[in-house]
Amino acid sequence: MTFALKFVAASILAASATGAFAQKGETVKIGWLDPLSGLMASVGTNQLKTFQFFAEEFNKKNAAGVKFEIIGIDNKLSPQETTSALRSAQDQGARYIVQGNGSGPALAIIDAVEKNNARNPGKELLYLNYAAVDPDLTNSKCSYWQYRFDADTSMKMEALTTYMKDQSEIKKVYLINQNYSHGQQVSKFAKENLKTKRPDIQVVGDDLHPLAQVRDFSPYIAKIKASGADSVITGNWGSDLALLIKAANDSGLNVKFYTYYAVTTGTPTAMGAASDGKVYQVGYAHYNMGGEMKKYADDFKAKFNDDLYTTDIYTVFQALTEAFVKAKSTDPVKVAAAMEGMKFKSFNGDVELRKADHQIQQGLYIAKWEKASAKYPYSPENTGYTLAPVKYYEAYVSSTPTTCQMKRP
Amino acid sequence: MNVEFFVISLLNGVSYGLLLFMLSSGLTLIFSMMGVLNFAHTSFYMVGAYLAYTLSGIVGFWPALVLAPLLVGVMGAAFERYSLRRVHKFGHVPELLVTFGLSYLILEVVQLVWGRSTVPYGLPEQLQGPLFTIYGTQFPKSRSFIMLVALLMLVSVWLLLTRTRIGLVIQAALKHPEMVESLGHNVPRIFMLVFGGGAALAGLAGVIGGNTYVTEPAMAASVGSIIFVVVVVGGMGSLAGAFLASLLIGVVQTFAVAMDQSLATALQAVGVAVTEQTYGYELLKLTISQVAPILPYLFLVLILIFRPKGLLGTRED
């Protein structure tokens, strides 16, 4: 009996001695679940390429010494399809799930991951949300098993309205958004923030249209024109933004657009010269970040003839490797614990994965669509135009409180 | 609602309505003649757009405008000749099923050839930019072009059907195929021509609709159900009815987007107090703009209940 005890103790010691770099050489499979078909396919395709691109870059050299492998599955932008896609990714050995397009699928993932982790100890999953920005996901519906790397709607609106507050020419604002959680939240926070920051601004319209279905926005543009608005706030992304701006430029509508996602595929082309100085975007980055990211963007363009715009994917890989080193493991349970409150330096400055709700805290930029220049040279979709930063807000400006009551395992 | 908004919305609605007419005219011809509800009709619309995208990269947009509908027409005729005609003798249900299957087949083939994403099928130089400016709003050339092509098509189809010999035979075969056959006309060949012609019209709509709107694999499904509404509302087999119904639906859908009135505001206007506590408030507060997408289907149901033969239809069955 004593021998057995000693043997166990010795093996534990031996295991922990070699365990210092236990994760070295391991392959980390990441299940990517986003649309590869339908109107939003171009956005999804670009982001899958971004994941593969950064996986390759990190495989060359990373502190944890692991290999990343991306398993891309089309979720057709539908919550139902997402659940089966998740199962399929799991069957192929993925313990990390990434998704970003649409808060509906994001919620489906949180739900599925919660259930899985409660029922299958030892086979836990960790969800890294790189773009689904519904504030509920880190508030009333928050989960220990989710980390979000994009700023949520309330944070972006905080920064955007802080900027709009100082633009005295804004008198009448029109809100047009996609009719699902994200769009509804944009509309809600825009109204709330404008009311406190600029009570003199009139909200002259508040439209919700179906997600990824509208092919012709000209009826909406006629409505915006008739309302007499001078500015439009929209959380639209992908084709819904590209077609909206296309229709606006076709009809010669002269308003300023305050957007969340002017970088998404197709929108730069739709903006072109006609939107010069008329489109603003709030985000954690812009095209001309310089440094390391400039090299990545140029490599990405050379390789895929496409633009690198979902740059927080870089932050996802960075957070993973840092956490692997810290936890000395690639086990999602240990990694999730290691990520709590983790602070590190990303391409856009110091960031923190806030412990209370697992929402990243990072600075936000307001950028304006204008002619590419020597200072801001990057030209997306070869338009000759670029998004030039006009204002930077530190993380604390846009930070919003959370109501998350997290259940920790 | 001011004059400016009214004029612009009317123009938008009419141009969309005319595109719907281009699609539904072929469908209604095929249905009235052969009794076949062609579920694959909008698939020909999609194929037209994709073919035009590829062809305009090779020979330019204007030749593609002619070539793509012709190719689609040949495909339609071949489908009628080698597939539909064979199942014709088994009755209407197999015919319906075979076109249903074809729509899936075309969708998968299109996705295999051109991918699942949108293709960058853009407008040619000559059609870019505004045609005219009205009350400070520009009206794009591309939309005007849709209207022009649709009207030209309407006139030529009408001339073909009423002023030519083949048109008279088609009209006769529409009503009394056996009689026409016993007079020595090759009715199956007429069927093939009509089917091919209908597909070509859908293809033409695709060529100009694809670059004005978006060319992607869901484009067929997006108009698939609405053109059945057009055909039913207009009256089965009536070209004039399809024309009227397309315009009606185009204009109604465009204007509905602008209406922010709801049942709640209507009740409040007549003095009924409606608050968030009122029973069914969630339903009452839905605005017309929010229910705009279902209006055509509501219309369809109402027509089927109160006037089953459609606005200008002649059949009672």
Side-chain angles (χ1 to χ4, degrees):
Chain A
M1 200 61 195
T2 38
F3 171 75
L5 261 179
K6 269 183 193 161
F7 180 77
V8 170
S11 349
I12 288 170
L13 268 178
S16 52
T18 54
F21 295 100
Q23 84 285 356
K24 268 224 159 100
E26 276 182 32
T27 298
V28 177
K29 292 185 178 174
I30 299 179
W32 176 96
L33 320 176
D34 262 318
L36 289 173
S37 55
L39 274 177
M40 296 305 185
S42 51
V43 177
T45 311
N46 176 293
Q47 287 162 338
L48 179 57
K49 280 189 251 175
T50 309
F51 264 101
Q52 286 160 341
F53 175 81
F54 278 127
E56 224 168 273
E57 289 294 323
F58 274 78
N59 285 350
K60 285 180 198 158
K61 188 171 79 82
N62 68 68
V66 297
K67 286 252 171 294
F68 289 103
E69 191 185 314
I70 309 294
I71 302 164
I73 302 175
D74 181 12
N75 75 349
K76 298 175 186 153
L77 201 60
S78 127
Q80 290 85 354
E81 296 272 349
T82 303
T83 320
S84 53
L86 179 89
R87 215 163 297 133
S88 157
Q90 207 177 359
D91 289 345
Q92 293 175 55
R95 303 279 305 271
Y96 292 90
I97 302 296
V98 294
Q99 180 272 349
N101 294 311
S103 302
L107 209 57
I109 294 178
I110 290 184
D111 196 42
V113 167
E114 283 277 353
K115 280 183 190 146
N116 172 74
N117 292 5
R119 292 171 191 169
N120 304 308
K123 287 182 180 164
E124 288 87 351
L125 300 170
L126 184 59
Y127 167 39
L128 306 168
N129 169 357
Y130 66 91
V133 296
D134 180 351
D136 285 351
L137 297 177
T138 48
N139 284 291
S140 59
K141 288 161 187 154
C142 72
S143 161
Y144 176 77
W145 302 107
Q146 178 210 212
Y147 279 92
R148 173 154 59 192
F149 291 83
D150 196 351
D152 77 21
T153 301
S154 64
M155 300 164 78
K156 287 184 177 179
M157 192 53 78
E158 207 52 64
L160 197 62
T161 46
T162 307
Y163 179 78
M164 291 175 78
K165 184 177 64 151
D166 302 328
Q167 312 301 311
S168 53
E169 76 277 8
I170 302 178
K171 302 265 187 283
K172 289 179 174 176
V173 169
Y174 198 99
L175 309 173
I176 178 161
N177 288 292
Q178 295 150 324
N179 197 1
Y180 78 111
S181 52
H182 160 64
Q184 290 161 3
Q185 299 277 15
V186 169
S187 154
K188 180 181 142 217
F189 284 102
K191 280 181 282 191
E192 278 175 14
N193 285 358
L194 286 176
K195 201 184 236 174
T196 53
K197 288 178 185 162
R198 274 284 300 276
D200 61 306
I201 289 183
Q202 227 182 314
V203 175
V204 291
D206 183 6
D207 256 329
L208 293 169
H209 64 77
L211 169 67
Q213 307 237 325
V214 181
R215 280 155 182 79
D216 177 19
F217 276 95
S218 39
Y220 293 98
I221 296 298
K223 205 174 165 187
I224 295 174
K225 179 97 205 289
S227 75
D230 52 47
S231 306
V232 173
I233 298 181
T234 176
N236 282 16
W237 50 279
S239 66
D240 283 337
L241 183 59
L243 295 176
L244 176 70
I245 290 188
K246 183 179 166 214
N249 287 339
D250 275 351
S251 71
L253 180 73
N254 188 18
V255 299
K256 295 242 163 68
F257 280 92
Y258 289 89
T259 70
Y260 276 36
Y261 299 111
V263 290
T264 48
T265 309
T267 310
T269 306
M271 291 191 287
S275 290
D276 187 7
K278 286 201 260 178
V279 178
Y280 291 82
Q281 181 197 257
V282 58
Y284 51 76
H286 54 81
Y287 290 122
N288 301 286
M289 295 298 290
E292 216 179 3
M293 203 41 84
K294 179 184 183 323
K295 197 184 129 304
Y296 286 137
D298 292 342
D299 287 354
F300 191 83
K301 191 154 201 167
K303 198 166 174 186
F304 300 113
N305 191 28
D306 204 345
D307 300 303
L308 177 69
Y309 54 76
T310 318
T311 41
D312 70 343
I313 291 171
Y314 175 84
T315 318
V316 170
F317 280 100
Q318 218 182 1
L320 277 177
T321 45
E322 298 244 347
F324 291 160
V325 172
K326 204 171 145 195
K328 302 188 182 64
S329 164
T330 61
D331 178 11
V333 179
K334 290 178 187 155
V335 171
M339 277 189 180
E340 287 215 297
M342 195 167 79
K343 286 181 188 168
F344 56 101
K345 200 170 178 60
S346 187
F347 72 98
N348 56 352
D350 292 316
V351 300
E352 180 191 347
L353 294 169
R354 185 161 74 180
K355 190 172 177 186
D357 58 351
H358 293 188
Q359 166 67 47
I360 200 168
Q361 303 295 311
Q362 59 189 350
L364 291 179
Y365 296 87
I366 309 287
K368 184 167 86 171
W369 185 249
E370 61 176 42
K371 233 183 170 64
S373 59
K375 195 171 175 203
Y376 301 118
Y378 191 85
S379 155
E381 298 180 5
N382 306 318
T383 47
Y385 283 77
T386 194
L387 280 171
V390 291
K391 192 91 189 171
Y392 173 70
Y393 293 108
E394 295 283 348
Y396 73 86
V397 179
S398 57
S399 183
T400 47
T402 180
T403 56
C404 172
Q405 306 277 332
M406 195 174 280
K407 278 194 217 86
R408 291 187 166 75
Chain B
M1 199 182 289
N2 54 25
V3 184
E4 169 189 356
F5 174 78
F6 183 79
V7 172
I8 289 296
S9 293
L10 195 63
L11 280 171
N12 282 332
V14 168
S15 69
Y16 177 58
L18 285 172
L19 185 76
L20 283 183
F21 167 67
M22 271 196 271
L23 274 167
S24 50
S25 55
L27 186 69
T28 199
L29 273 181
I30 292 171
F31 178 77
S32 58
M33 188 149 196
M34 310 163 67
V36 177
L37 255 187
N38 180 14
F39 267 98
H41 197 70
T42 52
S43 306
F44 289 118
Y45 164 71
M46 172 166 71
V47 171
Y50 274 99
L51 278 180
Y53 159 68
T54 302
L55 285 174
S56 58
I58 303 167
V59 294
F61 174 74
W62 300 102
L65 179 66
V66 181
L67 284 176
L70 286 180
L71 276 175
V72 175
V74 169
M75 282 169 59
F79 171 70
E80 199 284 332
R81 175 69 184 81
Y82 295 104
S83 170
L84 205 53
R85 196 178 292 182
R86 280 162 199 250
V87 296
H88 184 65
K89 56 177 166 289
F90 302 117
H92 283 328
V93 172
E95 281 179 331
L96 196 98
L97 288 177
V98 79
T99 64
F100 198 63
L102 180 71
S103 71
Y104 279 91
L105 197 68
I106 292 181
L107 179 66
E108 288 304 323
V109 168
V110 161
Q111 288 182 344
L112 279 177
V113 176
W114 285 283
R116 288 169 181 271
S117 183
T118 53
V119 293
Y121 174 33
L123 292 164
E125 285 287 321
Q126 297 94 322
L127 290 182
Q128 282 175 12
L131 182 71
F132 56 85
T133 304
I134 183 164
Y135 301 112
T137 299
Q138 299 164 354
F139 193 70
K141 283 184 195 160
S142 52
R143 275 165 210 274
S144 326
F145 187 65
I146 287 189
M147 295 162 87
L148 179 74
V149 172
L151 289 176
L152 283 179
M153 199 199 82
L154 173 71
V155 172
S156 36
V157 169
W158 182 73
L159 285 178
L160 180 82
L161 284 180
T162 55
R163 295 285 184 276
T164 63
R165 197 178 145 71
I166 180 82
L168 292 178
V169 177
I170 288 174
Q171 278 197 329
L174 244 156
K175 292 239 166 76
H176 304 289
E178 293 84 6
M179 180 63 92
V180 174
E181 194 149 33
S182 50
L183 283 172
H185 293 288
N186 188 346
V187 171
R189 194 166 69 198
I190 295 170
F191 280 3
M192 186 178 84
L193 280 178
V194 169
F195 200 92
L201 293 183
L204 180 65
V207 177
I208 56 179
N211 54 12
T212 306
Y213 301 111
V214 192
T215 305
E216 45 98 28
M219 66 190 285
S222 74
V223 284
S225 40
I226 204 112
I227 63 163
F228 283 106
V229 178
V230 169
V231 169
V232 171
V233 170
M236 299 276 193
S238 163
L239 259 190
F243 185 70
L244 189 68
S246 317
L247 286 185
L248 195 68
I249 287 171
V251 170
V252 163
Q253 270 203 307
T254 308
F255 274 96
V257 162
M259 311 268 183
D260 284 329
Q261 287 82 3
S262 61
L263 279 176
T265 56
L267 287 174
Q268 276 156 357
V270 296
V272 182
V274 180
T275 61
E276 284 183 31
Q277 275 73 44
T278 312
Y279 178 74
Y281 181 74
E282 288 295 320
L283 200 65
L284 290 176
K285 74 166 187 187
L286 281 180
T287 61
I288 298 178
S289 66
Q290 278 173 301
V291 297
I294 61 162
L295 284 180
Y297 305 101
L298 183 70
F299 217 54
L300 171 78
V301 174
L302 290 179
I303 283 280
L304 284 177
I305 294 174
F306 295 109
R307 197 179 158 85
K309 65 177 179 177
L311 292 177
L312 298 180
T314 44
R315 290 191 185 197
E316 279 295 353
D317 55 311

